[in-house]
Amino acid sequence: MTQSAHLHPDRLFPASEPSRGVARELYPAVRDLPIVSPHGHTDPSWFADNQRFSDPAALFLTPDHYVLRLLRSRGLSYDDLGVPRKDGKPVADGRAAWRLFAANYHLFAGTPSKLWVDHSLQFVFGINDELSPVTADAIYDTIAQKLATPELLPRAILDRSNVEVIATTEFALDPLLHHQKMAADGYIGRVRTTYRPDDVTDPSRPAIVDNLKRFAELTGEDVATWAGLINAHRKRREVFRSFGAVATDHGVPSAMTADLPLVEKQALLDKVLAGRHDAADAELFRAQMMTEMALLSVEDGMVMQMHAGSRRNTDPLLMAERGTDLGADIPGTTDYVNGLRALLGRCGNEPNLRLIMFVLDETTYARELAPMAGYWPSLMIGPPWWFHDSPQGIRRYLDQVVETAGFYNLAGFNDDTRALLSIPARHDVWRREVCGFLGRWVGEHRLSRSSAEEIAKHLSYQAAKDAYRIK
Amino acid sequence: MTQSAHLHPDRLFPASEPSRGVARELYPAVRDLPIVSPHGHTDPSWFADNQRFSDPAALFLTPDHYVLRLLRSRGLSYDDLGVPRKDGKPVADGRAAWRLFAANYHLFAGTPSKLWVDHSLQFVFGINDELSPVTADAIYDTIAQKLATPELLPRAILDRSNVEVIATTEFALDPLLHHQKMAADGYIGRVRTTYRPDDVTDPSRPAIVDNLKRFAELTGEDVATWAGLINAHRKRREVFRSFGAVATDHGVPSAMTADLPLVEKQALLDKVLAGRHDAADAELFRAQMMTEMALLSVEDGMVMQMHAGSRRNTDPLLMAERGTDLGADIPGTTDYVNGLRALLGRCGNEPNLRLIMFVLDETTYARELAPMAGYWPSLMIGPPWWFHDSPQGIRRYLDQVVETAGFYNLAGFNDDTRALLSIPARHDVWRREVCGFLGRWVGEHRLSRSSAEEIAKHLSYQAAKDAYRIK
Amino acid sequence: MTQSAHLHPDRLFPASEPSRGVARELYPAVRDLPIVSPHGHTDPSWFADNQRFSDPAALFLTPDHYVLRLLRSRGLSYDDLGVPRKDGKPVADGRAAWRLFAANYHLFAGTPSKLWVDHSLQFVFGINDELSPVTADAIYDTIAQKLATPELLPRAILDRSNVEVIATTEFALDPLLHHQKMAADGYIGRVRTTYRPDDVTDPSRPAIVDNLKRFAELTGEDVATWAGLINAHRKRREVFRSFGAVATDHGVPSAMTADLPLVEKQALLDKVLAGRHDAADAELFRAQMMTEMALLSVEDGMVMQMHAGSRRNTDPLLMAERGTDLGADIPGTTDYVNGLRALLGRCGNEPNLRLIMFVLDETTYARELAPMAGYWPSLMIGPPWWFHDSPQGIRRYLDQVVETAGFYNLAGFNDDTRALLSIPARHDVWRREVCGFLGRWVGEHRLSRSSAEEIAKHLSYQAAKDAYRIK
């Protein structure tokens, strides 16, 4: 007999009355609201080409670094899990990898990955058995069969998931070919790009000089002058906006910003273009570019997102064998008060600036971010991110930000995922946790029922649209 | 129909039984205990002159940076909220500002500010409607009318709030005129000053040289010698004690202390008096002064309070337009172990020293402060402070300090407020949270009912008197 | 009438249904599992000689720095508590110290120390009265009387506590005389040593040069060359393994590791042996030794434990009067990502490496350690340690590590104690908290009942055996 994986209708709600009852009553009004997904990493070719997904492992396993990393941590090899190698040596095929995943699925007890996978299996594939060595093949076959049907094509998945709008993320040099195709289709608006210029703002990248050269070509600007460089961004942002972009995104190791005099900015740029910059120069250049991006946002109204605090590629072996984004990025401490001082001092009171901060260092929620978002008109707190996009992560987040920042300085929810099928599962976890949180507070008579109803709806849907200025 | 703002009698208690029942039973014995308020920022002229408050906005809005900052964060301007400008340009009048506050009162859902305002409206003004655009004018008129009555004069407010003793905070150079008037009245004892010598201990203040000169004049000491400087403090502390002071208070960016040889102290002082000190000198001077203050406390028994960790005036625009204490001070990380090493190494075991630490960096509760308070006889942990003086803030505090420091190394509660009417509301939140916390622990059979009763009373009243040596 | 100290059978379980019921049902299956204690500081002479304990104070009070420090923090002197002085001056005798402890026992309300003492009194000594001034003498006499009976000899205590295996901790230079005696007895296996080479890896110790000289003599290696030094460790580890050691242990102020070229390692060693090293050299030497220990673990399979982050001996007066380990060690911040980079980069993917990290800086649970343990096959998270080995500490730990690291990257429980009688009490607290945690999650439908049953058993027993490779 196999164990049932039926998800309980009360999952994640408070266990005890009266809070459970309140959560249960709040939830139906938010459960079916459209999904607004203003930040994520789905592949735009899916929506442009609308081709079927190849196999279950390619859908659930190999693109999901949350799943891969936990299996690796228990001694399973990425070869056996079918993760491609740079040297092209063979790795396990989809079914073999899937069996290994299934045989170790008990390792995911208590993790959000299990919540997301179970949700997809049940609600997308109608699978009610728990994934296990016994059920591995049958589940694999069921998924593979359904993937061949029209209702599991990428655009159909957006439809069935009730995704009103979803943003992908592209680098400044990206030719946006898939978005051009979608523009021709009239699909832009539902799918939107996001301007992520790390490729031309971060001099610690080995290709920075080449990248800046290509940036010049792409925009027709002389990026050897500071004014030209900024103008290149100005033009490129405009192009991105023509493909629906409402936001920019910046992946940075720290929250450091700078506001230097022009002569120092030009000197930095000269160094970078000559390839003579050291690590401190790179950091300062990037810090200055954050302020420049904020100033461009003041001009053009694009919402600026900062994803700070990840220490990337901490395993040199993984990097050499297979590359980036496979589980070896680890959060570190972040200093938002000193880091953002230059940027906020320069334009933090500008009505047109909107800066959304994503946090990996939870100690900053109550100490720095909530006080800052509760003061600066330009600053909002993004949803719990990466490892913290989980039931406990969401609880710690709401626990620590709401009292000081209020509910209305929060940017709603982002799924921030590469895993298309997990999108409704992730939004559902957020909505359930919001209802649970509000249920607890109503249960303690800290919030009226009518406020809770309004806030539940706001945080599930409107907050994201407002924060990202999506009309 | 307007919504009722009636506060629920069980508010903030655990939502579920049996913990709720225990909290409910503990609360009546502490609800009406006198208020001991050994640290705060009320204006001594209120109690000296006992004049009526001008208008509702001046009472609830313009002096309350918690309220102002949250409104600003949602795009409202301080001009429209009636916050005075340095350049004297006109700002909104009381009623206009009040209407704006009321129109945005929903932003305060979930914040302690709403708890405090609702509490005052209901219990001081008998207002049972929720503040909203609909009720704004009527509530304004009701408050304005009551403010004209004798029972809302400052001393009457102390009476009706059952305030047994309240401390104000004055700088070393303050002439203490209001306290002199109260001394003449026999009102000192109920109102007490606190010695806050930041004006003469912090060389990062532009006026430091002038201030030290005035300090010399005021005390008749030669502050150009280290011994003279310390003697000036010794004398000034004595003067403050004659106006009821039981404590000193020190607002410092970090917890750094120093214990230098005399020759280095004198060299530092020489630099400061010559205006030749840099930022590091200023920090070291301040650090040394902390140890000097501790040594004076060993002599005279005054309780030493350190409020560490705020980064002040992070918005230069606000500072230029309107000045300090309007919401732009943001907490930062604090290192108590290394910071206090010099001071504690010098006199941490002195029976006469009492050092109360206030914390903005909650990560130090369990990691540093609770272990330190659970070791050093001189060290106590102050109540959750500033942004953390809130239901969740109090829970995180008790969660993280009690197991290692016990209940008896806590200094009870301080309201630390400029907002007179919020005092009973804040103490009520503390007492409810204490009862809720104890209710949970009794519910988990971690604490006997009789211990809980004793601890609830201790933390609501006696702890503050004991910690501050108030007879 | 004296108060009863009967421990409630539901203590520490969630207060409300349905979580309480689940916890209650999970607990019986783990309550009586054997105790595996792979890390601790009990005295090996106890088990080698199996002599009776002298008196109640020597058992409960003077060796327990948790108890001593809290009494000191409320102004009691270590002289009056019977803590020996270096100068040999007299201190209070056992009964006098015990009376003082009893008179202040209310200070322990809410602390884990009280849980442990009450547990021992009730379950080892059958004492059902609460310790208090009234009961002090009667309880002292009851304990003293029982200590004279065979069932309270050290080995009998292991039997009655159902301790399957317990590890002590010895320095590299320790002659292991007690373990030799136990080997002759056939008692090794139940009691095992642990290799803690801080005495020869930490150049900040004044005796380091002498220690290295003795290390050379003990091993017959030329420790003046790097290869010889490593070989000395290799041999000494082998000796420790012959006395049952499965693990090494490293007490380090930070998590810093290094991976230097041989020429730099030799230069460092030369400096240390010449006594010319400064603090930075000492840190770097220790950092390099961590990587060397990891490489030896790759060779010999010993499990490597790092206990990082304590700032030792922060009270110079205590140190001068009575020495180490008496309550003045305080945690500090720790950077695991940068700290472990060199070690993990060198051998973090080696299948034979097992590295167990113990954490004093709880901010690293969710931010660093859980992500790292959820990636690196070699890395596991040790149980909550020192001040965090408490009900709330365990809750914060599980709250913050499980979602990202899963349950199976945790090393189960360690009691880490010098207090023999507290061992079953501490394991019981862990097991109750695990059941409570799982009960809450089952109550929220985040975990199936059958998973919870399996995980409860795993974390109570098998996890520690697996983590420490105890066959």
Side-chain angles (χ1 to χ4, degrees), chain A residues 61-134:
Chain A
L61 189 56
T62 42
D64 189 337
H65 59 72
Y66 292 87
V67 170
L68 292 173
R69 70 196 312 280
L70 196 69
L71 293 167
R72 181 189 185 98
S73 81
R74 300 304 301 144
L76 279 69
S77 87
Y78 273 17
D79 282 353
D80 294 341
L81 292 165
V83 183
R85 300 176 60 95
K86 285 182 175 176
D87 62 13
K89 283 192 189 151
V91 296
D93 67 17
R95 187 175 291 266
W98 182 262
R99 284 178 181 160
L100 203 57
F101 177 35
N104 289 281
Y105 195 58
H106 66 286
L107 298 176
F108 292 88
T111 68
S113 294
K114 180 169 159 58
L115 283 175
W116 301 331
V117 171
D118 285 353
H119 190 278
S120 301
L121 292 181
Q122 180 167 340
F123 292 106
V124 182
F125 297 99
I127 292 165
N128 292 323
D129 291 330
E130 174 101 354
L131 186 61
S132 75
V134 176

Side-chain angles (χ1 to χ4, degrees), chain C residues 89-90 168 211 278 291 296 302 306 333 352 370 418 427 466:
Chain C
K89 283 192 189 151
T168 63
N211 286 357
D278 61 18
T291 303
L296 289 175
M302 292 180 83
M306 273 180 84
T333 54
N352 214 28
R418 297 166 205 282
H427 284 261
D466 290 352

Side-chain angles (χ1 to χ4, degrees), chain B residues 16-18 335 337-338 349 363 367 371 373-377 399 403 405 407-409 441 444-446 448 450, chain C residues 3 8 11-13 15-16 69-70 72-74 110 112 311 315 317-318 327 331 333 361 390-392 395-396:
Chain B
S16 303
E17 295 297 343
D335 178 347
V337 188
N338 288 320
N349 288 301
T363 69
R367 189 180 60 221
Y375 172 77
W376 291 100
D399 166 16
E403 288 185 324
F407 287 103
Y408 294 93
N409 280 306
W441 280 29
E444 295 181 0
H445 309 288
R446 297 164 72 173
S448 69
S450 62
Chain C
Q3 198 176 350
H8 194 283
R11 65 191 178 280
L12 303 180
F13 291 160
S16 302
R69 71 196 312 280
L70 196 69
R72 180 188 186 98
S73 80
R74 300 304 302 143
R311 293 164 185 170
D315 183 1
L317 179 67
L318 178 73
T333 54
D361 178 358
S390 66
Q392 297 301 119
R395 291 178 200 187
R396 291 193 296 268

Side-chain angles (χ1 to χ4, degrees), chain B residues 52 54-56 125 139-149:
Chain B
R52 64 156 286 184
S54 59
D55 71 273
F125 297 100
I139 290 178
Y140 188 91
D141 293 335
T142 304
I143 297 171
Q145 194 179 344
K146 286 241 177 165
L147 287 182
T149 64

Side-chain angles (χ1 to χ4, degrees), chain A residues 416-444:
Chain A
D416 186 33
T417 191
R418 298 164 204 282
L420 183 58
L421 288 183
S422 78
I423 290 175
R426 287 166 187 255
H427 284 262
D428 188 59
V429 168
W430 169 256
R431 292 172 185 190
R432 285 175 179 275
E433 286 297 336
V434 164
C435 292
F437 179 83
L438 296 168
R440 283 185 204 94
W441 281 28
V442 171
E444 295 180 2

